[in-house]
Amino acid sequence: MPGPLWVCLALMWVGSCHAHSLFTCEPIRVHRCLETSYNMTFFPNMMGHYDQDIAYNRMQPFMPLINLKCSPDVHHFLCQVFIPACTEENKVIHPCREQCNAVRSDCEKNIHTFDVPWPPEMCEKLDPCSVHGSPVPLTTPAISSSAKRELGFWCPLQLKTKPGHGSSFLGAQDCAPPCSNMYFKPHDIEFAKSFIGVCSIICLGATLFTFLTFLIDVKRFRYPERPIIFYAVCYSFVSLIYFIGFLLGNNAACIKAANPAGVDTVVLGSQSKGCTLLFMLLYFFSIAGIVWWVILTITWFLAAGPKWSCEAIEKKAVWFHSAAWGIPGALTVMLLALNKVEGDNISGVCFVGLYDLDALRYFVLAPLCVGVIVGLFLILAGIVSLNHVRQVIQHDERNQEKLKKFMIRIGVFSCLYLVPLVTLLACYTYEQSHRSSWENTWINDRCQEYSIPSSCNGGTTDHERPDLSLFLVKYLMTLVVGISAVFWVSSKKTCSEWAYFFNRTRNKDPISESRRVLQESCEFFLKHNNRVQHKKKHYKPSSHKLKVISKSMGTSTGVTPTSPPPPKKSLNLHDTLQSTGQSVPLRSTLGRSI
């Protein structure tokens, strides 16, 4: 077979695999072929196998022929077929046709006995032997730079994972990124972990302060401001999970190597129950925090635009809770079904979209965009409505000043929430647009270390690498969003409530408090018993006779009541609207919040 035809066949094998982008020799790791006269090999081989693991597995049915030594050349021949020789001059040495026919003829009986799947076309693919009976070397083909990018990534042996867990890295199945970060040095990762740990502690303290302030006086925070408390609770869980990730290091985000020659890899898919649990909590409460922000803007708009009362808004609380917890729950279940759990070797937690760009776009960027756009639109509409009310009550200086302060508080609070959220959105957008370039740079830097026949050419010197500050800003904005809730509860009233709470707690005597509770309980039961006995003593059967009232002319056909009917209570418009659950003027709604 002429040399150009061999080149065409090699190009066809390369085109059939979505793997390497440049061909280089790699050390032999298959122990059955370590005793041969060569120690370097090249893939894909003539059988279309893409790495040594696959070739060794396909070689197993031929092992009886090697063990029985049915032919003098059977061992060397099969190693050259499955693990071909590669010389330092980038030449691949395949066996020749006559050698293949000789081995097949010697081992034909054993092939039928052990049902060895010998391909009929194996010998036909080979070149005839040279004059001296030695195989003809083949120079590895040179691939253009445009073809290199089309061939993709070929997972090295060190990054192989156990099959069946759904792990996929750079398009290669049963493959995962290394636990040591792909882009940054170890001391940079240690600094980032410490930074995330400190930020998570600060955010956890701020959100817990907001929630505890709510518990001290529950009636103080009613709708439309009640969602602030719920979204503070969501971000307290987010910060707590990041703090747990800081304490665990990479124990949850990484797993041990699947084979002795491998390295620790990042968790992808359902490889770790602990990582899956961290992902569920982190993603659920992250999305729930965004949904509660949107609900907060909706309640503010209802109070400012249509001028709904607190009671009317509170009647819709069931729908608010259904949306706030149902939407994140549905998205979390969907990601678990799609097996999109990914470990983060920087923060130590597990999230989504760290290596899968499609998951990042649809499950992280899309909810963020919707939350920012809808929330901003409703906030602006509510502020416009409040400004219109402020112009209507120009002569009421006291309420006008209160309304002005309330508008300022809404504006500042919205900025404290939206600025970090928009910054986080920009970080994710920049990351997803440059992720492919960063991964190509990593492949080029690590192709020799992991023996990846990839873009190891020294001609490309301009490689794009990420900056650590981008990831630090991303984690900071993720956590600092929850701190904005402290601004809303920070007031003199909050300080006085905490001071009263601590004074009351410090002055309480446990024994005296127990006596007081018992004494009040006894007094209650005694009064209740006396009241029941008094009713039995003055019981009159005639008093329980039914009075029949005629519906025709409004006259009574029964016993005429001795006492006159109670006077009708006059109701003003405000009481009527409140009793029917309809809206009341904005002043009654905002006076309490201010």
Side-chain angles (χ1 to χ4, degrees), residues 26-45:
E26 58 180 278
I28 294 177
R29 298 188 184 89
V30 178
H31 66 277
R32 280 285 187 174
C33 298
L34 290 176
E35 299 176 359
T36 55
S37 58
Y38 55 93
N39 58 5
M40 300 294 288
T41 186
F42 163 82
F43 282 87
N45 59 16

Side-chain angles (χ1 to χ4, degrees), residues 375-392:
L376 184 61
F377 173 78
L378 291 173
I379 279 292
L380 293 177
I383 291 177
V384 170
S385 300
L386 288 177
N387 188 51
H388 177 70
V389 173
R390 182 169 170 266
Q391 293 177 355
V392 171

Side-chain angles (χ1 to χ4, degrees), residues 106-128:
D106 294 340
C107 300
E108 187 172 3
K109 183 178 179 180
N110 293 320
I111 290 174
H112 293 294
T113 301
F114 294 97
D115 197 18
V116 177
W118 188 288
E121 69 279 1
M122 180 188 292
C123 297
E124 300 298 327
K125 289 182 179 180
L126 300 174
D127 263 350

Side-chain angles (χ1 to χ4, degrees), residues 313-569:
I313 298 175
E314 195 165 0
K315 287 183 177 180
K316 307 297 180 181
V318 175
W319 297 102
F320 296 153
H321 283 276
S322 300
W325 308 121
I327 294 174
L331 292 177
T332 304
V333 171
M334 193 181 302
L335 286 171
L336 289 175
L338 295 174
N339 222 3
K340 297 297 182 180
V341 181
E342 298 173 354
D344 186 359
N345 52 12
I346 297 180
S347 63
V349 301
C350 297
F351 201 59
V352 61
L354 301 171
Y355 301 96
D356 190 338
L357 289 178
D358 291 334
L360 176 64
R361 295 187 185 105
Y362 297 123
F363 292 95
V364 179
L365 283 175
L368 277 175
C369 289
V370 173
V372 169
I373 295 174
V374 175
L376 184 61
F377 173 78
L378 291 173
I379 279 292
L380 293 177
I383 291 177
V384 170
S385 300
L386 288 177
N387 188 51
H388 177 70
V389 173
R390 182 169 170 266
Q391 293 177 355
V392 171
I393 57 173
Q394 296 183 28
H395 303 290
D396 194 349
E397 296 181 358
R398 180 172 174 271
N399 286 325
Q400 189 178 18
E401 187 65 24
K402 284 185 178 182
L403 189 58
K404 180 181 178 181
K405 291 181 179 179
F406 185 71
M407 291 173 61
I408 293 174
R409 287 186 68 190
I410 291 178
V412 174
F413 176 81
S414 303
C415 291
L416 290 176
Y417 184 90
L418 284 174
V419 169
L421 206 63
V422 172
T423 306
L424 179 63
L425 184 61
C427 291
Y428 276 124
T429 304
Y430 182 84
E431 183 180 352
Q432 68 93 24
S433 62
H434 291 78
R435 178 83 63 78
S436 299
S437 301
W438 299 343
E439 291 169 347
N440 289 334
T441 301
W442 176 81
I443 293 174
N444 184 79
D445 293 341
R446 302 290 182 175
C447 60
Q448 293 292 342
E449 177 182 350
Y450 292 119
S451 300
I452 307 173
S454 184
S455 52
C456 290
N457 54 334
T460 57
T461 57
D462 188 15
H463 296 301
E464 188 175 0
R465 306 177 191 276
D467 193 353
L468 181 63
S469 59
L470 172 70
F471 289 85
L472 295 181
V473 171
K474 182 181 75 171
Y475 291 115
L476 176 63
M477 295 299 107
T478 301
L479 293 167
V480 81
V481 171
I483 302 179
S484 58
V486 178
F487 169 78
W488 191 263
V489 301
S490 298
S491 63
K492 294 181 180 179
K493 189 174 182 180
T494 300
C495 296
S496 61
E497 285 181 350
W498 276 100
Y500 174 73
F501 173 77
F502 283 118
N503 291 332
R504 186 181 60 179
T505 305
R506 186 173 59 243
N507 295 333
K508 277 185 179 180
D509 182 10
I511 299 177
S512 302
E513 190 69 17
S514 301
R515 290 176 179 173
R516 185 184 63 81
V517 172
L518 290 174
Q519 184 178 0
E520 289 179 355
S521 301
C522 293
E523 291 178 356
F524 172 78
F525 285 115
L526 288 174
K527 289 181 179 179
H528 179 71
N529 190 26
N530 293 333
R531 191 177 300 117
V532 171
Q533 291 180 357
H534 180 72
K535 286 184 177 180
K536 289 182 179 179
K537 183 178 180 180
H538 297 280
Y539 173 75
K540 292 182 180 181
S542 60
S543 63
H544 292 276
K545 290 182 179 179
L546 293 176
K547 302 176 181 61
V548 182
I549 307 299
S550 174
K551 294 183 180 179
S552 60
M553 305 305 293
T555 58
S556 175
T557 60
V559 179
T560 305
T562 56
S563 59
K568 292 183 179 180
K569 183 179 178 181

Side-chain angles (χ1 to χ4, degrees), residues 194-214:
S194 302
F195 178 80
I196 295 171
V198 172
C199 293
S200 62
I201 293 174
I202 296 174
C203 180
L204 180 60
T207 51
L208 285 179
F209 173 77
T210 304
F211 181 63
L212 293 176
T213 303
F214 165 74

Side-chain angles (χ1 to χ4, degrees), residues 210-221:
T210 304
F211 181 63
L212 293 176
T213 303
F214 165 74
L215 292 181
I216 290 176
D217 187 3
V218 178
K219 295 181 180 179
R220 176 185 170 190
F221 299 96

Side-chain angles (χ1 to χ4, degrees), residues 25-200:
C25 297
E26 58 180 278
I28 294 177
R29 298 188 184 89
V30 178
H31 66 277
R32 280 285 187 174
C33 298
L34 290 176
E35 299 176 359
T36 55
S37 58
Y38 55 93
N39 58 5
M40 300 294 288
T41 186
F42 163 82
F43 282 87
N45 59 16
M46 60 174 291
M47 306 296 291
H49 305 145
Y50 303 149
D51 61 12
Q52 297 190 44
D53 283 346
I54 298 176
Y56 179 69
N57 291 332
R58 299 296 187 271
M59 191 178 176
Q60 290 297 320
F62 294 84
M63 287 302 173
L65 306 181
I66 298 176
N67 296 332
L68 294 174
K69 297 181 181 179
C70 55
S71 174
D73 297 330
V74 63
H75 189 184
H76 186 74
F77 169 75
L78 290 175
C79 282
Q80 281 193 321
V81 169
F82 290 94
I83 313 293
C86 183
T87 65
E88 295 180 356
E89 293 82 12
N90 284 336
K91 293 182 179 180
V92 181
I93 300 177
H94 293 286
C96 58
R97 186 181 304 170
E98 287 78 7
Q99 185 183 6
C100 176
N101 290 327
V103 171
R104 181 176 181 179
S105 177
D106 294 340
C107 300
E108 187 172 3
K109 183 178 179 180
N110 293 320
I111 290 174
H112 293 294
T113 301
F114 294 97
D115 197 18
V116 177
W118 188 288
E121 69 279 1
M122 180 188 292
C123 297
E124 300 298 327
K125 289 182 179 180
L126 300 174
D127 263 350
C129 295
S130 62
V131 179
H132 301 286
S134 59
V136 178
L138 172 69
T139 305
T140 57
I143 307 299
S144 64
S145 59
S146 60
K148 293 175 189 175
R149 295 186 60 83
E150 297 174 359
L151 296 176
F153 170 75
W154 185 357
C155 184
L157 178 65
Q158 296 94 325
L159 303 182
K160 285 286 185 179
T161 60
K162 294 180 180 179
H165 292 288
S167 58
S168 176
F169 176 51
L170 298 180
Q173 297 296 324
D174 299 328
C175 187
C179 187
S180 57
N181 192 266
M182 296 170 55
Y183 311 123
F184 306 114
K185 297 179 180 179
H187 67 273
D188 294 331
I189 298 300
E190 290 300 322
F191 172 76
K193 287 181 180 295
S194 302
F195 178 80
I196 295 171
V198 172
C199 293
S200 62

